[in-house]
Amino acid sequence: MGSLERSKKKTQVWKKAVIHFSLCFVMGFFTGFAPAGKASLFSNFETTPSTTSKSQIPPHPSENSTYTPNSLADKALVSSQVQAPSPSKSQEAEPENRLLSETEEEVTPRGLVIVVTPVMTKDRYKNVLLRRMANTLRLVPPPLLWIVVEKHSEADVNSSSTMLRKTGLMYRRIVFKENFTSLEAELDHQRNLALRHIEHHKLSGIVHFAGLNNIYDLDFFDEIRDIEVFGTWPMALLSANRKRVIVEGPVCESSQVLGWHLRKINNETETKPPVHISSFAFNSSILWDPERWGRPSSVEGTKQDSIKYVKQVVLEDDTKLKGLPAQDCSKVMLWRLNFPTRTRFST
């Protein structure tokens, strides 16, 4: 009898364990099929680092997501967000217009600067000075065209061409074979060759005659791009064997030329303004579009001696000149250095 009772108790214990296990299994099985979108019992008690419950602050609805409020507070908050006034079309257009204007300013093309450099035949430092000028022009933002004019020489043709190609600059090399007894006549001939080339190809830009002994402030090239017809500026003259600096150029009020700095030679004041060939620049269209600027193209010899016409306009008609820099044209951006070992003529 005792053994039967024990076996009955064991079977009852096992039955209870099996039933309990089965109930837990069934509950866990069906719980796994419960909808995931429903908030759990403990979701309202989850806190954020700012100690604010998620149920109190619903997520902000974004353009790429959909938010459904679960409570009256959420619905009130969402309705207040929906009813907030939206920016007007004019307000939305303002930043777009501002961005467009800034983009237009950035992509505004710069004007072409045409730098003409005549090379003196008897200058023994011409190769060194050409490289120095090339290094300066390489620092100038494009577009820039460098026109180098020199006498044809079998000894220099390869060295000059190779040096110009290695600069990476846009350049034109013009050579001539004529012989001259006067250095000034040779320089004017070189300048006229360059101007004829500009006129023949109708190159549009600002023309500046840059001597090999010129030293530049890089802001100078940005200033001359704004020239409409003619522009002029002060230039400092430096000599290696002298301890003084002579400034030549215009006297301005704003950008209007009122007069010129005059200097004394042999205790006598000059009567004509000392306008150096490198102290002015002009719009190249006066060469190939004379009617626009009133240039007397029909006059005999005007086209053959363009440099003479340019000099006459600068010396005789101050109304066409614009002083640079535009404030009061008092800033010196160009220096001309005279070497004592070189000839007394300058480029």
Side-chain angles (χ1 to χ4, degrees):
M1 293 291 293
S3 61
L4 291 173
E5 291 179 357
R6 289 190 192 126
S7 62
K8 287 181 180 180
K9 288 180 180 181
K10 288 182 179 180
T11 54
Q12 289 177 357
V13 170
W14 279 106
K15 285 180 181 180
K16 290 181 180 180
V18 170
I19 293 171
H20 185 70
F21 176 80
S22 300
L23 290 174
C24 291
F25 176 80
V26 171
M27 290 180 64
F29 179 80
F30 286 104
T31 303
F33 285 96
K38 296 291 183 179
S40 65
L41 180 62
F42 302 99
S43 62
N44 291 334
F45 297 96
E46 294 177 2
T47 58
T48 61
S50 61
T51 67
T52 305
S53 65
K54 290 185 178 179
S55 61
Q56 294 177 352
I57 302 180
H60 190 280
S62 62
E63 295 179 357
N64 300 325
S65 62
T66 304
Y67 169 69
T68 304
N70 295 324
S71 64
L72 293 175
D74 294 349
K75 292 179 180 179
L77 180 59
V78 172
S79 63
S80 64
Q81 292 176 351
V82 172
Q83 294 173 2
S86 59
S88 62
K89 293 183 178 180
S90 60
Q91 291 175 346
E92 293 178 353
E94 284 181 2
E96 294 180 0
N97 295 335
R98 193 180 302 111
L99 289 175
L100 289 174
S101 61
E102 292 176 356
T103 305
E104 290 175 356
E105 291 177 359
E106 291 177 358
V107 299
T108 300
R110 300 186 185 93
L112 175 66
V113 175
I114 305 173
V115 178
V116 178
T117 301
V119 180
M120 292 187 295
T121 306
K122 297 180 180 180
D123 190 351
R124 59 179 178 175
Y125 299 120
K126 60 183 179 181
N127 291 331
V128 176
L129 296 175
L130 267 175
R131 289 190 180 91
R132 183 175 67 86
M133 179 63 69
N135 291 333
T136 299
L137 297 180
R138 287 173 65 183
L139 301 175
V140 180
L144 181 141
L145 173 62
W146 190 20
I147 300 180
V148 179
V149 188
E150 59 181 337
K151 186 176 181 180
H152 177 74
S153 173
E154 295 294 340
D156 296 336
V157 62
N158 292 329
S159 61
S160 298
S161 299
T162 303
M163 188 275 295
L164 291 172
R165 282 196 298 269
K166 290 181 178 180
T167 60
L169 295 167
M170 181 170 60
Y171 75 92
R172 306 277 176 90
R173 181 172 177 267
I174 303 174
V175 297
F176 63 97
K177 296 182 178 180
E178 292 85 354
N179 295 319
F180 296 90
T181 56
S182 170
L183 190 55
E184 284 297 325
E186 179 182 346
L187 292 174
D188 281 346
H189 177 70
Q190 291 174 282
R191 293 163 186 147
N192 278 320
L193 287 177
L195 295 182
R196 281 181 221 157
H197 179 84
I198 295 170
E199 180 179 2
H200 177 72
H201 294 281
K202 295 184 177 181
L203 302 177
S204 180
I206 303 301
V207 182
H208 168 62
F209 297 100
L212 289 179
N213 51 354
N214 288 359
I215 302 172
Y216 292 92
D217 183 334
L218 292 179
D219 292 338
F220 168 82
F221 296 96
D222 291 330
E223 291 286 346
I224 66 174
R225 293 183 198 269
D226 297 331
I227 294 176
E228 297 180 1
V229 188
F230 282 88
T232 183
W233 50 84
M235 182 173 65
L237 310 179
L238 308 174
S239 297
N241 56 354
R242 293 184 180 180
K243 295 182 180 180
R244 63 175 181 172
V245 178
I246 300 175
V247 177
E248 295 181 352
V251 178
C252 305
E253 181 178 352
S254 183
S255 60
Q256 181 182 1
V257 177
L258 301 178
W260 301 86
H261 293 288
L262 300 179
R263 60 180 178 177
K264 289 185 177 182
I265 299 179
N266 297 328
N267 295 325
E268 294 183 1
T269 304
E270 290 182 333
T271 57
K272 293 184 179 181
V275 181
H276 189 268
I277 193 68
S278 292
S279 64
F280 67 88
F282 60 94
N283 193 318
S284 64
S285 61
I286 70 171
L287 301 174
W288 44 267
D289 191 7
E291 295 180 357
R292 177 183 176 187
W293 306 107
R295 179 190 177 193
S297 57
S298 59
V299 177
E300 185 68 23
T302 302
K303 284 192 174 183
Q304 297 298 323
D305 197 357
S306 297
I307 190 63
K308 182 179 180 181
Y309 166 74
V310 170
K311 288 180 179 179
Q312 285 179 351
V313 173
V314 173
L315 292 174
E316 297 175 3
D317 193 352
D318 293 347
T319 59
K320 293 183 179 181
L321 293 175
K322 176 184 178 181
L324 299 176
Q327 291 77 13
D328 57 359
C329 68
S330 60
K331 180 182 178 181
V332 177
M333 299 180 292
L334 171 60
W335 297 264
R336 180 164 62 94
L337 179 61
N338 290 331
F339 296 96
T341 56
R342 301 179 66 193
T343 178
R344 65 188 180 89
F345 295 100
S346 62
T347 57

